[in-house]
Amino acid sequence: MITRDAVIAALDRVLDPELHRSIVALGMVGSVEVDGARVTITIKLTVAGCPLKAEIQRRVSEAVAALPGVEGVQVGLDTMTDEEWDDYISGN
């Protein structure tokens, strides 16, 4: 059975292409939903037109798809709030 914790652990190994730090630690992971063998994730980008969004989506999809039992991964994109952006920049 796939758990949210297992998905978060997989995402913790995904590095932001700019800062080379975990997207979990940087607060880029919005929501994570597990429905049987399917996982839906929302990633919060720094800006709506982020030039690295396709790379981030690919990294997230590959990391989660590698988990045992995962049959489908859907990655949605959102944009950080001003407060989330401040935390991202400061590395908190």
Side-chain angles (χ1 to χ4, degrees), residues 28-45:
M28 294 176 67
V29 178
S31 63
V32 174
E33 297 175 20
V34 178
D35 183 12
R38 299 196 55 76
V39 180
T40 303
I41 303 158
T42 301
I43 299 298
K44 295 187 172 202
L45 302 173

Side-chain angles (χ1 to χ4, degrees), residues 1-2 8 15 25 40 54 62 66 69 74-75 78 81 87 90:
M1 172 184 235
I2 305 158
I8 295 294
L15 301 182
T40 303
E62 288 178 358
Q74 181 177 346
V75 180
D78 199 358
T81 64
D87 288 344
S90 67

Side-chain angles (χ1 to χ4, degrees), residues 41-58:
I41 303 158
T42 301
I43 299 298
K44 295 187 172 202
L45 302 173
T46 54
V47 293
C50 176
L52 297 171
K53 66 183 174 185
E55 176 65 17
I56 294 168
Q57 277 184 300
R58 182 189 64 77

Side-chain angles (χ1 to χ4, degrees), residues 1-89:
M1 172 184 235
I2 305 158
T3 65
R4 184 180 189 285
D5 288 342
V7 173
I8 295 294
L11 293 174
D12 196 41
R13 294 186 297 272
V14 176
L15 301 182
D16 174 272
E18 293 176 308
L19 297 181
H20 308 290
R21 291 190 50 211
S22 162
I23 64 171
V24 173
L26 291 170
M28 294 176 67
V29 178
S31 63
V32 174
E33 297 175 20
V34 178
D35 183 12
R38 299 196 55 76
V39 180
T40 303
I41 303 158
T42 301
I43 299 298
K44 295 187 172 202
L45 302 173
T46 54
V47 293
C50 176
L52 297 171
K53 66 183 174 185
E55 176 65 17
I56 294 168
Q57 277 184 300
R58 182 189 64 77
R59 291 180 183 193
V60 168
S61 292
E62 288 178 358
V64 176
L67 291 172
V70 172
E71 294 178 7
V73 179
Q74 181 177 346
V75 180
L77 301 174
D78 199 358
T79 306
M80 290 182 174
T81 64
D82 290 340
E83 182 178 288
E84 290 166 336
W85 167 252
D86 289 342
D87 288 344
Y88 172 87
I89 288 298

